[in-house]
Amino acid sequence: MLFAVYVDELAISCDCTHGVYLVLYADDILLLLPTVTELQNMLYNCERELDALDLVINVKKSCCMRIGQRFNAKCQCLHSLTGAFLPWLSEIKYLGVHILEPKNFRVSTVQPRRSFYRAANAIFGRVGRASSEEVVLHLMIKSVYQFCYMVLKLAL
């Protein structure tokens, strides 16, 4: 929360009417811009704003992705003010969600399903046959609810 307060000036500078979006969550920043040139400029603006706060962008955890009609077109490499290059990827993970890059925005539900089955198997492994069916059913309903909530939230 404190991070968002400090970079609020940067968020205010974004013009949503022209397709410039800045998503802030905890200490993560997601930049959504219509062109590579605008993305490069916004990256510089973010770096300058963070530098004024004695913060830096971790370029090892940063990447770029293109979504839309020209998703597979070759793009120029973006670089930070320090000269480090940001790679272009075909799939990224943001806040636990796997975002894919086809012509239309799409998310992958493979990882959430895998996590659900892992949790369900862990519950059955711990509870086993010694527990009543009511306890197992309650735990499974809770797990299914959490999985469905996450999938529905991604779909909206």
Side-chain angles (χ1 to χ4, degrees):
M1 182 72 175
L2 191 56
F3 174 77
V5 171
Y6 282 115
V7 294
D8 189 48
E9 186 176 315
L10 183 64
I12 291 170
S13 71
C14 292
D15 185 6
C16 296
T17 60
H18 290 98
V20 177
Y21 297 95
L22 179 78
V23 179
L24 300 171
Y25 184 81
D27 63 346
D28 290 330
I29 299 175
L30 177 65
L31 303 174
L32 302 168
L33 290 104
T35 68
V36 176
T37 304
E38 288 178 275
L39 180 59
Q40 180 68 72
N41 292 335
M42 182 56 87
L43 177 63
Y44 287 159
N45 290 343
C46 285
E47 284 187 289
R48 283 191 280 276
E49 184 71 29
L50 293 172
D51 186 50
L53 299 169
D54 288 329
L55 298 171
V56 294
I57 292 177
N58 186 348
V59 291
K60 292 179 182 176
K61 292 183 177 180
S62 301
C63 61
C64 304
M65 187 170 104
R66 190 172 194 163
I67 298 172
Q69 293 293 342
R70 300 182 61 218
F71 74 96
N72 57 355
K74 182 115 171 105
C75 294
Q76 72 181 38
C77 291
L78 297 183
H79 59 279
S80 67
L81 289 172
T82 61
F85 288 97
L86 278 65
W88 287 92
L89 302 177
S90 60
E91 181 179 333
I92 62 171
K93 182 178 177 185
Y94 181 68
L95 301 177
V97 177
H98 291 264
I99 302 171
L100 309 175
E101 75 161 334
K103 288 183 180 181
N104 300 314
F105 180 85
R106 187 169 67 117
V107 296
S108 172
T109 59
V110 172
Q111 189 60 37
R113 281 186 291 177
R114 190 175 297 145
S115 296
F116 165 74
Y117 287 118
R118 187 178 307 125
N121 287 333
I123 290 169
F124 281 131
R126 291 189 188 272
V127 175
R129 298 182 186 269
S131 180
S132 71
E133 292 176 5
E134 190 175 298
V135 172
V136 173
L137 183 61
H138 173 72
L139 292 172
M140 284 303 297
I141 288 172
K142 186 176 179 180
S143 296
V144 168
Y145 170 76
Q146 289 172 341
F147 172 73
C148 291
Y149 174 76
M150 190 164 111
V151 170
L152 289 174
K153 190 174 175 183
L154 293 176
L156 297 179

